[in-house]
């Protein structure tokens, strides 16, 4: 994205904030999709060459302090949930160090062919030493020789591509050695998202997106504009907060249709908390 265009979009976000609060939060979004979709559709993540399912199984609803709603299920409970998704065609395990879900994913990996699933995890490392340590520890905890995707977690700084260059170099080296297949980031500010769009280093971006702007980096139209630039540059874009961290629990069909209609998401992640909830999501995507 050109700097001038990004600045214009950022300024527009501030001016449109009142529209988000007064209109988007209450008005339904009516969408007609041009095609049929399935949670188990095989998608290719940008230019990474990684093929996986459209729906990723999130393990970090309100994931913080090595704990989440999903890890509350226990190692066997969450592992069984992941395997239930696998049985329904889902091939994408979304984990993170901060969720504490590595042991749960590792248990599930015992029961499926490793090369049939995509394992994504995230590091809070902000210096090279911590990044190297995390890569070694993550593989031990997940009991796998390699990670499909490793993201820098929860970036907020507009200058993160300069500030954390050391971490980026460690992940680049790991990719060259086959320790990871792709690297990138999850962003938690519009400034960080804009930097990710411009950075050739980013293979995969995990972006917050839903029709009402809940827990997002900016008003939806602003975020979608940045994600379109990412897509144009060949980056993989994976959506998160699709249901607004529960704010859209009574508008799930609308939120799912919105995500599918954007044309910028290669895949999206939603964290179910039971087999019934997971299977309901799969049905809703097929019915969208």
């Amino acid at each position: 994205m050109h700097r001038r265009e990004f600045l214009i979009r950022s300024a527009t976000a501030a001016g449109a904030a009142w529209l988000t609060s007064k209109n988007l939060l209450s008005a339904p979004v009516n969408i007609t999709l041009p095609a049929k979709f399935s949670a188990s559709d095989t998608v290719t993540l940008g230019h990474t060459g990684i093929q996986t399912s459209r729906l990723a199984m999130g393990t970090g609803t309100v994931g913080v302090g090595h704990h989440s709603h999903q890890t509350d299920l226990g190692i066997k409970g969450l592992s069984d949930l992941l395997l239930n998704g696998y049985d329904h065609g889902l091939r994408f395990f979304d984990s993170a160090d901060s969720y504490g879900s590595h042991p749960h994913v590792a248990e599930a990996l015992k029961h499926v062919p490793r090369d049939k699933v995509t394992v994504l995890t995230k590091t809070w490392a902000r210096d090279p030493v911590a990044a190297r340590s995390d890569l070694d520890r993550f593989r031990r905890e997940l009991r796998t020789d390699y990670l499909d995707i490793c993201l820098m977690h929860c970036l907020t700084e507009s200058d993160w591509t300069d500030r954390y260059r050391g971490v980026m170099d460690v992940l680049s080296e790991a990719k060259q050695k086959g320790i990871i297949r792709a690297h990138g980031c999850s962003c938690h500010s519009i400034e960080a998202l804009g930097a990710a769009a411009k950075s050739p280093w980013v293979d995969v971006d995990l972006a917050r997106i839903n029709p009402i702007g809940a827990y997002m980096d900016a008003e939806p139209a602003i975020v979608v504009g940045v994600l379109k630039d990412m897509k144009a540059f060949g980056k993989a874009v994976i959506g998160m907060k699709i249901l607004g961290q529960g704010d859209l629990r009574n508008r799930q069909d609308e939120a799912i249709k919105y995500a599918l209609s954007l044309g910028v998401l290669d895949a999206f992640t939603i964290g179910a908390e039971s087999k019934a909830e997971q299977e309901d999501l799969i049905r809703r995507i097929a019915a969208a």
Side-chain angles (χ1 to χ4, degrees):
M1 181 192 307
H2 296 298
R3 175 174 172 80
R4 180 175 178 272
E5 181 183 1
F6 177 69
L7 290 173
I8 291 171
R9 287 178 177 172
S10 297
T12 303
W18 70 274
L19 287 173
T20 299
S21 61
K22 292 184 178 294
N23 294 328
L24 289 175
L25 291 176
S26 58
V29 178
N30 295 316
I31 296 166
T32 301
L33 297 178
K36 294 293 289 182
F37 296 91
S38 169
S40 60
D41 286 340
T42 298
V43 300
T44 301
L45 301 180
H47 289 173
T48 67
I50 297 173
Q51 292 190 318
T52 191
S53 59
R54 184 179 305 280
L55 178 62
M57 293 179 278
T59 63
T61 302
V62 193
V64 65
H66 303 283
H67 172 269
S68 75
H69 289 185
Q70 283 71 35
T71 60
D72 273 347
L73 300 173
I75 289 178
K76 186 177 188 305
L78 180 48
S79 172
D80 286 350
L81 183 60
L82 295 171
L83 293 174
N84 185 67
Y86 183 89
D87 289 341
H88 284 80
L90 306 186
R91 298 291 185 265
F92 201 166
F93 296 173
D94 171 22
S95 65
D97 185 34
S98 64
Y99 307 162
S101 58
H102 288 168
H104 310 69
V105 172
E107 180 61 28
L109 288 176
K110 291 180 182 178
H111 306 284
V112 298
R114 175 65 185 88
D115 63 348
K116 299 299 183 183
V117 294
T118 300
V119 177
L120 179 154
T121 191
K122 314 171 191 78
T123 174
W124 273 91
R126 296 298 191 257
D127 66 80
V129 173
R132 288 193 183 90
S133 176
D134 277 357
L135 288 175
D136 290 340
R137 177 169 59 85
F138 291 0
R139 287 181 294 152
R140 288 196 305 270
E141 291 175 350
L142 289 161
R143 300 175 199 163
T144 183
D145 294 332
Y146 68 95
L147 308 172
D148 293 287
I149 304 168
C150 187
L151 305 181
M152 297 178 66
H153 203 173
C154 199
L155 292 169
T156 59
E157 301 88 349
S158 61
D159 65 344
W160 70 265
T161 55
D162 294 322
R163 187 180 302 201
Y164 303 130
R165 173 58 60 180
V167 175
M168 295 163 65
D169 289 344
V170 168
L171 295 179
S172 293
E173 180 183 1
K175 180 180 171 182
Q176 291 172 356
K177 292 180 176 179
I179 294 171
I180 63 176
R181 297 175 65 193
H183 46 58
C185 58
S186 70
C187 296
H188 283 244
S189 78
I190 192 63
E191 293 80 13
L193 193 68
K198 293 183 288 186
S199 172
W201 178 86
V202 174
D203 299 323
V204 179
D205 184 83
L206 187 61
R208 302 188 288 184
I209 185 69
N210 57 70
I212 64 173
Y215 300 95
M216 280 178 52
D217 304 321
E219 185 264 329
I222 304 301
V223 172
V224 170
V226 179
L227 299 185
K228 285 181 178 179
D229 288 325
M230 285 186 172
K231 187 75 171 177
F233 293 147
K235 303 180 190 300
V237 182
I238 302 170
M240 60 173 168
K241 303 298 183 191
I242 302 300
L243 301 181
Q245 200 168 298
D247 285 3
L248 284 157
R249 64 174 61 86
N250 297 321
R251 296 164 64 180
Q252 293 183 60
D253 293 337
E254 177 190 338
I256 289 168
K257 283 186 178 182
Y258 178 77
L260 293 171
S261 73
L262 294 174
V264 295
L265 302 182
D266 296 297
F268 52 85
T269 180
I270 301 177
E273 297 178 34
S274 69
K275 292 180 182 179
E277 191 175 284
Q278 182 183 71
E279 291 168 16
D280 181 62
L281 280 169
I282 292 169
R283 284 192 296 269
R284 288 177 185 273
I285 292 170

